[in-house]
Amino acid sequence: MERLTRWLSAHPLSVVWAVALVSVMAALTLFDPVTQTLRLQVDPSIERLLPAENADREVLERVRLQFGETDPVLLAVGFDTVYSADSIARIDALTQRLAALPGVRQVLSLANAPNALAEGDEIEISSFAVQARESPQRVQDFATQVAANPLYHGTLVSDDGRYAAFAITLEGVDEIQFRAARYGGQIRALAQELTGSSEIWITGSSVVKAETTDAILRTLRFTLPAITLLVVVLLFLAYRDLRAVLLATLAISLALLWTLASAVLLRMPINLVTAIVPPLVITLGLSYAVHLLAEFFEHDHAQASRAMRSERVLRRVGMGLLLSGGTTIAGFLALMPGALPAIREFAILSSLGVAYSTLLMLGFLPGALSLAGTRRHRPPLAEAYFVRAAHRLAGFDLKWRNWIIAIALLSIPIDLYFISQIRVGTEYIKSFEPDARVRLDYEAINQHFNGASVVSVLIETHVNDALTDPALIAEVEQLQLWLQQQPEVGAVASYVDYLKLINRNLNEGDPAYYAIPETQAAVKQLLVFGGSEDIRRVIDSRFRTALVTLRITVDDSIGITDFVARTEQRLRQMKPPLNGQVTGTPVLATRTVNAIASGQLSSLAIASVAIWAMLALLFTSARAALLAMLPNLLPVALYFSILGALDITLNPTTSLIACIVLGIAVDDTIHYLARFNADARARASETDAVKHALAGVLRPVTLTLVALCLGFLIFTGSELQNQVQFGLLSAATLLIAWIADITLTPALSSKLRVVTLWDILRLDLGQSPQHTIPLLSGLSLRQARVFALMSQVEKLPAGSRVIRQGDYARDIYVVIDGKLEAWVERAEGRKALSTMVRGAVMGEAGYFGQRRTASVDALTEVRLLRFDSQDLERLRLRYPRIAAVIFRNLNRIQAERLARATAMLP
C-alpha cells in the first residue's frame, strides 16, 4: 500500500493517460460510432426480471406456445353509437388496416366477430360487418344479439353501445420491437384516420412497457444532467476553485461512463430496478469527491511539491475512502445470494460503479489536481461556521450522551411495530402521472370494457378428451361462475361459452339450448364440427388443456395478489383430473414485484451482517463493529417504520433504499471513526477527540448530505411515481442518517478507543516485540500491536524529560527504541541510577499512587509506549485475553523488582 501510494503520487501523468485510454475504450463500447446510437438497451419487461427457469414464467410460456399471445393490445374508439351501418363500416375498415400491419397476427372486433343467425332450418354464420353490408336493417338488432353473447358483451362493445374495442394480437414482436416500430402511434393514427373519432384509447402490456421505457429514458435524460449540474454548483460553492470542480466532475462522469460500458459488456439492460444505478453512481461519487477535496484543501502549502501533496492526500484520506467503498460494495454484493436477476444486476452494476468511483478518486483525481496546479486561493465556504457548530454539537453529544443512546434504543420497539404493518406491493398504471395519456387510456378502457388487464387460468388434465366430459365441463362452468362473482373480475370467457353458444345456434337460437350437452359424444361433435378457428385459442385439439380468460379491473399488485390467492385456493377444490394455474402478464409482474420486495428484507439482513463483519475486521472488535453499526441501522429501521406508518408499500424501488442508505451512512461513520481514532491517539483523550473529529468531518458529511438529498430529490421530476417516491424517501432517510451520524455516533464513540486493522498492520514496534519486550511476553504480534494502539506511542527527542522526580502521575512507560537514564537528585548532586533500553518498564510506582521516585531523561531519540489505568480498563473490556496477559506480565515485572530490592537490603 505504501509503495502504491508513492508510485501514484510520483507518476500522475501516467495515471491520467491510463485513465484516458480506458475511458476511450469505454466510450466506444457504449456508443456505436457507425450508427451513432447507444448500445445500452432499456428493457421494461417485468417477465425477464425473473429467472429463465422460473415456474411461473414457464407456465406463461407454455400458454403462449399452446394458445398464442394472451395479452393483446386493446384499442377502443368512441362513436355516437356503434350500432349503425356507418360505424360498422368504419370498424370494419379499421380492422382490416390493423390486420395488415407487420407483426399483427389477428385483430378481433365487432366487424369480424362471427354472428350466428337462425332463419327457419338454416343457420347463417357470418360477421357483423358482412351482415350489415348485406342487410343494413339488421344493424338495429345487433345490440340485442351482442347483449346475448357473453363473449362480446362488455368486451367488443361497451355496455352503453358508444365504444367499440379491438383486440390486436401480435406475433414475434417483443417490447423492444414494439417501441422501436412505434406500434402505439401507428395504431392511434390509423384509428384517427379511419374513424375520425376524438376518443381513442390504447392499452395493453406492450403499450405500458413502451411508455415505461420512454419514461425511464426521459427521466435519465433529465436526472443525469441535472445531478451533474448540481455536482458542479455544489462543489464550486464549497471549494470555490473551478479547476478542482471540473476535475472532480470529470472523475465522477468517467465512473458513470465505465459503469454503463460494463453494463453493455455484461449484457445487462437498464430495467425498472437498474435504472437507479446511473444517478446512484453520480451521487456516491460526489460524496467521495467531497471528502477528498476537503482533505486536499485542508493543508494547502504552496511550497509542497506535487508528489508530496498527492501523497499526503492519499495517506490521509486513502484508507477511509477504500474502506468506505469496500463496505458499500459489500452491502451491494450481499444482495446477490439467491436474488432475482434484476437485483443481481443492480448489485453488480452498483458495485462496479462504486469500485470505479473509488479508484478514480484515489488514482486519478489527486494527481490530476496536482498537475492542474490547483491551489486554495480563498477559504472554503462556511469553514469557520462548521468548526464552531461542531464544537457546540460535540458538547451537546457529550453532555446528553446517555439520553441520546437511550432514545435510539427506545425507538427500536416502536419501529418494529410499524415495520410489522408494511405491505408488499406496487402500482402499475398508477405509477404514471394522473394526466399521462397511457394512464388515461387504461382507466377509460378499464371503466367501459369490464377491465383492461387480462389474466388467464390454465386448466390441464393430461388426459385426452377429458374436457369433453359433461361432468368436468360442469366443474369448469362452476369455476367460471365463481370467478364472475369476484369483485376484481369484469368478464370471464372459456370454451364452455363457445360450446353453449354453438349448441344454441345449432338449435335455431333457442335459449333453452344455451347449455352443456348431456353426452360426451355430443360435446365432442359440437367442438369438432361446430366450432370456428377461434375456439382453438381456448382449448387444444386433444381436448385435454383449456384456457379461461379473465378481464380484471384491478391494476395494483396487492389487489392482484389477493385475487390470485383466492383463485388458487378455489382451483385446489376442483375434481381430478382437473388442475388449474393462474397466469398472465399481470400475475407474473405481481409475483416478480413481491419476490423482489420481500427478498430485500433478507438481503438487507445479509448486507448488515456482511458490513458488520467487515467493520469487525477493520476495528478488530465485534463490539466496536456493533457500536459502529447502530447509527447506521437506526435510520434503516426508521425508514421501514415510515413505510408502515404512512402505508407506503414495499416495492422494487422502495425496497432498495435501505441498502443504499446503509452503504452511504456507513461511509460517513467510517470517516468519523477513522479521524476519531487518530485524534484519540494523538490527544490521549476521547473527549477532545470527539470535538476535533466532529470538527473535521461535519462540513464534508453535511455537504455530502446536501448533495445526496438534492440529487435524490431530482427524481421528483420523473414521470413515474415510483421514482418520485424513491427520491423523496431516499432524501428523508439520508437526513435521518446524517442526524444519527452527528449525534449518536459521537455519543457512542466518546468512551470507545478504536483500533483499526490498518493501524495494526502499519504500527512498527520493532522486531519481535513479544519476545524482546517483557511486558508483551506471551502475546502474538497482532495482540502486541493491539495493546500498543490501545495505549499511546510517543516519540521524544534526545534531552527530553520523561519523568520528573516527586510528581504525582499514573503513567507507565515501556521503551520501544532508544536509550534513557534514570537519576535522582541528592545533596551532593545528580546521581545516575540506571540506563534503560528496549523493553524497560518505568513509572510503575506512580501507577500505584506513589510519587515519582526518580527522574528519567532521554539520552537519544526515543519511542515510548505510555499507558495508564484507564487504558488498561478499556483493554480489559474490549480485549480481556490481552489484558490478562498484560496484568500477569506487569505483576511479574513488579515481583522481580521487589525481589531485587529485597536482595539489596543489608
Side-chain angles (χ1 to χ4, degrees), residues 372-665:
T374 304
R375 296 285 179 184
R376 185 174 67 182
H377 302 291
R378 289 175 289 178
L381 183 67
E383 185 177 39
Y385 168 79
F386 275 105
V387 172
R388 292 193 300 270
H391 285 295
R392 289 195 296 269
L393 184 59
F396 173 84
D397 295 340
L398 293 171
K399 180 179 179 181
W400 302 101
R401 173 181 181 271
N402 293 333
W403 276 103
I404 292 172
I405 297 174
I407 292 172
L409 294 176
L410 289 174
S411 69
I412 294 177
I414 300 174
D415 295 337
L416 292 176
Y417 168 75
F418 286 111
I419 289 172
S420 66
Q421 309 299 312
I422 292 177
R423 297 184 303 152
V424 175
T426 191
E427 301 279 1
Y428 298 122
I429 200 67
K430 288 183 180 178
S431 179
F432 293 92
E433 295 283 353
D435 59 348
R437 173 183 284 182
V438 64
R439 179 171 173 178
L440 292 175
D441 285 4
Y442 173 90
E443 291 174 344
I445 291 178
N446 196 50
Q447 176 184 352
H448 291 285
F449 288 94
N450 296 331
S453 298
V454 179
V455 171
S456 302
V457 176
L458 178 64
I459 305 295
E460 295 180 300
T461 64
H462 306 291
V463 177
N464 289 342
D465 296 333
L467 294 179
T468 60
D469 184 348
L472 294 183
I473 297 174
E475 280 285 318
V476 176
E477 184 179 36
Q478 289 301 312
L479 173 64
Q480 280 191 243
L481 293 174
W482 181 88
L483 289 170
Q484 289 169 349
Q485 295 170 1
Q486 304 311 302
E488 301 89 352
V489 177
V492 183
S494 75
Y495 83 101
V496 178
D497 299 301
Y498 281 93
L499 178 63
K500 292 192 292 185
L501 284 171
I502 295 170
N503 194 25
R504 185 185 68 183
N505 294 337
L506 292 177
N507 288 277
E508 302 181 358
D510 188 346
Y513 286 92
Y514 187 72
I516 301 170
E518 296 180 354
T519 66
Q520 188 169 6
V523 169
K524 191 171 183 180
Q525 186 177 20
L526 290 177
L527 292 176
V528 171
F529 299 105
S532 64
E533 183 63 27
D534 290 338
I535 202 172
R536 298 295 171 234
R537 303 191 75 247
V538 291
I539 189 169
D540 72 323
S541 58
R542 292 183 292 178
F543 307 120
R544 57 189 291 175
T545 304
L547 199 65
V548 181
T549 304
L550 295 77
R551 291 277 192 94
I552 59 174
T553 58
V554 294
D555 177 60
D556 64 290
S557 66
I558 293 177
I560 294 174
T561 298
D562 292 342
F563 167 70
V564 170
R566 273 184 277 118
T567 303
E568 288 178 336
Q569 184 177 5
R570 174 63 178 80
L571 291 174
R572 287 192 288 270
Q573 299 173 10
M574 290 192 304
K575 297 179 180 179
L578 295 176
N579 295 287
Q581 298 181 77
V582 187
T583 188
T585 299
V587 176
L588 199 63
T590 295
R591 286 181 168 155
T592 304
V593 166
N594 293 343
I596 291 175
S598 301
Q600 291 308 290
L601 293 177
S602 58
S603 297
L604 181 62
I606 296 173
S608 299
V609 172
I611 293 175
W612 170 83
M614 289 192 66
L615 291 176
L617 179 64
L618 169 64
F619 297 141
T620 68
S621 169
R623 176 175 172 268
L626 188 60
L627 291 176
M629 283 295 295
L630 182 58
N632 302 301
L633 291 177
L634 183 64
V636 173
L638 284 171
Y639 162 70
F640 282 118
S641 69
I642 290 173
L643 295 185
L646 300 182
D647 195 27
I648 300 172
T649 59
L650 191 65
N651 56 54
T653 50
T654 58
S655 62
L656 297 177
I657 293 175
C659 291
I660 293 172
V661 171
L662 182 61
I664 295 174

Side-chain angles (χ1 to χ4, degrees), residues 736-846:
I736 296 172
W738 176 78
I739 294 173
D741 273 326
I742 65 173
T743 55
L744 184 56
T745 302
L748 289 169
S749 67
S750 60
K751 296 295 182 181
L752 177 68
R753 176 65 59 85
V754 181
V755 174
T756 68
L757 180 63
W758 177 243
D759 294 324
I760 291 175
L761 294 176
R762 70 180 182 179
L763 179 64
D764 180 20
L765 292 179
Q767 187 174 4
S768 302
Q770 70 273 34
H771 300 130
T772 56
I773 299 177
L775 185 66
L776 305 181
S777 177
L779 299 176
S780 67
L781 177 59
R782 185 191 69 85
Q783 291 173 324
R785 288 173 172 172
V786 168
F787 170 66
L789 292 167
M790 293 294 288
S791 308
Q792 287 84 38
V793 177
E794 298 180 350
K795 181 182 290 187
L796 300 174
S800 300
R801 178 68 49 85
V802 180
I803 294 176
R804 187 180 302 276
Q805 183 181 358
D807 286 351
Y808 278 110
R810 300 185 63 118
D811 299 318
I812 296 180
Y813 294 86
V814 180
V815 181
I816 300 176
D817 296 311
K819 183 183 295 185
L820 301 98
E821 182 182 67
W823 59 275
V824 294
E825 190 70 44
R826 294 287 186 260
E828 62 274 15
R830 171 171 172 161
K831 180 180 180 180
L833 298 178
S834 63
T835 299
M836 291 172 288
V837 293
R838 178 175 173 81
V841 177
M842 53 190 176
E844 67 278 6

